[in-house]
Amino acid sequence: DKRCITKLVKNFRSHKELLTIPKALYYDNELDACADERMAESCLQFPGLTEDARKKKVPLVFHGVIGQDLKEETSPSFFNVEEIVIVLDYIRQILEMRENKVLPKEIGVITPYRRQVQKIRNKLKKEGYQDVMVGSTEEFQGQERAVIILTTVRSGETSGHVRQGLGFLASVKRFNVALTRAQSLLVVVGDPELLSTDSTWMEFLGKVVEMGSYTGCGLPECLV
């Protein structure tokens, strides 16, 4: 019957705490976590988690950074050096974990800008981590990784219209996809001052703060 709508309410991919935010934002709190417990809980001792997140068993980090989004003459696409440095540091920390080891091929990096994709790929190749997948939200559609790192790129007053600048955020579906690719650890790197000017990101950041998963630069007044 073409009039019927099928609503998926079981998630067999992610740790239950990683579903808390998308469940509230997009699923009317009707999404059930059904993932394999051993995989879902494999990164709860990741040293990059905040102390609060470890205590609450929340495998989520939002790393706030006030960087600078840049362009090169040869490309209209943005990149953010500060965020690239932070992303690479998290990848190193993840790969150095002794308990429940994570392989490079089990890590994915999502970013809305092609230039950021290229620069991160080049850096990873130099360090021998070319098996880490780096791409846009669309490239991760239908996929999953043990660890997902999301770098939002845009930062500061130069970014203009937030929804236009963030790319995937203009589409609820893309934002939801980006948040729900991770099985056992999600790391988001971005500028909280800029992101909080968007209502969806504001709600996301508010929940991150509630969960004790925020680290990095100071929070904007609206989130303190």
Side-chain angles (χ1 to χ4, degrees):
D1 190 337
K2 293 180 179 178
R3 293 170 297 175
C4 292
I5 297 173
T6 302
K7 186 176 183 180
L8 301 177
V9 293
K10 293 187 182 295
N11 178 291
F12 293 91
R13 175 182 295 125
S14 306
H15 187 281
K16 62 181 180 180
E17 294 296 344
L18 295 180
L19 297 177
T20 300
I21 295 171
K23 183 167 73 171
L25 288 175
Y26 306 121
Y27 295 94
D28 297 322
N29 288 310
E30 294 180 355
L31 190 62
D32 295 329
C34 304
D36 176 73
E37 203 170 276
R38 186 177 176 185
M39 166 56 81
E41 296 185 352
S42 62
C43 289
L44 290 177
Q45 296 306 312
F46 171 55
L49 293 176
T50 67
E51 189 176 339
D52 280 351
R54 273 199 295 274
K55 285 179 182 176
K56 296 177 181 179
K57 297 185 176 180
V58 179
L60 167 67
V61 182
F62 186 102
H63 193 118
V65 56
I66 309 295
Q68 185 178 10
D69 49 24
L70 302 168
K71 281 183 179 179
E72 294 171 332
E73 288 184 10
T74 55
S75 172
S77 185
F78 286 96
F79 64 96
N80 186 314
V81 174
E82 288 86 356
E83 290 193 15
I84 291 171
V85 169
I86 291 169
V87 167
L88 289 170
D89 184 56
Y90 274 107
I91 289 171
R92 291 186 199 102
Q93 287 186 61
I94 292 161
L95 294 174
E96 287 170 3
M97 288 173 62
R98 293 182 179 179
E99 188 179 341
N100 298 320
K101 288 187 76 68
V102 177
L103 301 173
K105 66 180 181 180
E106 296 175 309
I107 302 173
V109 180
I110 300 177
T111 181
Y113 288 96
R114 181 53 47 188
R115 204 73 186 102
Q116 188 84 339
V117 168
Q118 292 167 347
K119 287 188 176 290
I120 292 173
R121 281 179 181 168
N122 289 340
K123 292 283 188 183
L124 290 171
K125 189 175 181 180
K126 287 179 181 177
E127 297 199 21
Y129 301 145
Q130 57 267 27
D131 286 345
V132 174
M133 180 177 174
V134 187
S136 65
T137 313
E138 286 80 5
E139 290 173 83
F140 278 89
Q141 179 74 48
Q143 297 204 36
E144 59 190 36
R145 291 291 186 281
V147 178
I148 289 289
I149 303 174
L150 175 59
T151 162
T152 59
V153 181
R154 303 309 298 273
S155 187
E157 297 176 359
T158 61
S159 293
H161 196 294
V162 177
R163 293 191 75 82
Q164 181 181 0
L166 289 173
F168 62 80
L169 193 57
S171 162
V172 169
K173 183 180 177 182
R174 287 177 183 168
F175 188 54
N176 183 30
V177 168
L179 293 186
T180 56
R181 299 304 93 191
Q183 295 171 296
S184 53
L185 176 65
L186 174 64
V187 178
V188 183
V189 182
D191 179 345
E193 193 76 44
L194 179 66
L195 294 173
S196 64
T197 62
D198 176 272
S199 58
T200 306
W201 274 104
M202 178 64 182
E203 193 166 352
F204 173 74
L205 281 161
K207 292 185 182 300
V208 166
V209 172
E210 282 178 24
M211 296 165 89
S213 292
Y214 183 86
T215 190
C217 67
L219 285 163
E221 287 184 13
C222 57
L223 286 164
V224 175

